[in-house]
Amino acid sequence: MSAAPAPPSDLFDCRDAFAATLDQAAERDSRIVIVVNDSLGSSKLMSFRKRWPERTINVGIAEQNMVGVGSGLANGGKIPFVSAASCFLTARAMEQIKADVAYSNANVKLVGQSAGVAYGELGPTHHSIEDMAWLRLLPNIAIIAPSDPWETARAVEAAAAHEGPVFLRISRMPVPRLPRPDGATFAIGKAETLRQGGDVVVIANGVMVARALDAAAGLAADGIEARIVNMASIAPLDEEAIRSAAEVGAIVTAEEHSIRGGLGGAVAEVVATHRPCAMRILGFPGFMPTGSAEFLLEKFGLTPAGLARAARDVIAARDAR
């Protein structure tokens, strides 16, 4: 498989931020180790192996063993970052994640790399559009889908400091740095409001956050003010932010994931039980056809124009009630 072209200089691969921050964390804490399934390159962990070969465990293409080894290391007092393509980590090793990590509340950091449809033309076997839904069913696991390099770095730091299981969903799709005020902070379980607005609320995570901000700019040109909420953490969930969004009466969720059981499902659960309102859930309806990531995002409306259409539609639905 040929290497992907380098992203434009104003776009960034969040795997770089993940790897650099993990190196820094490992310098401070000798308990941090990595466990991989022949995924050093795709996880961008070659530097880690070079610096700490004795803290690098490569089990080969054996994802169930990989998670089991990670759990054993955690039980022995280490802080393992178990890193692999999200499609293989969460599907092949689901039983081990359930029993060895979640049920046991082991201090394992699962890192699902290249999630969503980032693998593009490799097709449904390599797409990971079910991972958040599967893991939301399990207790104890914090689930984080960071939106840009800054948030990825903060999420890695938070995961290393958190006592208990964490799933980091890291995309390889190039994204811009998002605008944030000085002193911005990240906390597991807390949403981030990136733009204020009282006409509609767009709740997004991962690669969709930048697209939501672009959609808001287009809507503003037509006099529609959209609040943009970055819900990087979907477990635990910031229910207060969702209830606040429901007060506006029009919510759009956007995720690079199935429309069933992920961010949209999590938001809908809160809305339905606290303050029902008009909602639209944007994501993928099922297995994706073969095509580039950009083709798939365009096809299913996960673009700034698609988000803007959904926002106008949900506003109309609210106003028609």
Side-chain angles (χ1 to χ4, degrees), residues 60-83:
I61 303 175
E63 288 77 12
Q64 295 166 330
N65 289 344
M66 177 178 64
V67 173
V69 167
S71 179
L73 288 165
N75 291 340
K78 302 297 185 182
I79 303 176
F81 279 73
V82 178
S83 182

Side-chain angles (χ1 to χ4, degrees), residues 241-272:
I242 297 170
R243 290 194 292 270
S244 174
E247 292 175 2
V248 174
I251 297 175
V252 175
T253 63
E255 59 196 305
E256 189 198 1
H257 185 273
S258 170
I259 58 175
R260 300 176 183 87
L263 172 64
V267 171
E269 290 165 12
V270 177
V271 169

Side-chain angles (χ1 to χ4, degrees), residues 134-165:
W134 288 337
L135 296 181
R136 279 190 65 231
L137 297 173
L138 303 178
N140 298 323
I141 298 182
I143 303 172
I144 307 168
S147 58
D148 74 345
W150 178 88
E151 190 169 44
T152 300
R154 304 292 81 75
V156 171
E157 293 168 349
H162 179 78
E163 185 64 35

Side-chain angles (χ1 to χ4, degrees), residues 4 26 45 56 58 80 96 130 161 180 223 265 270 300:
L45 291 173
T56 301
N58 188 345
Q96 285 67 35
E130 312 90 358
R180 290 184 173 88
V270 177
F300 293 98

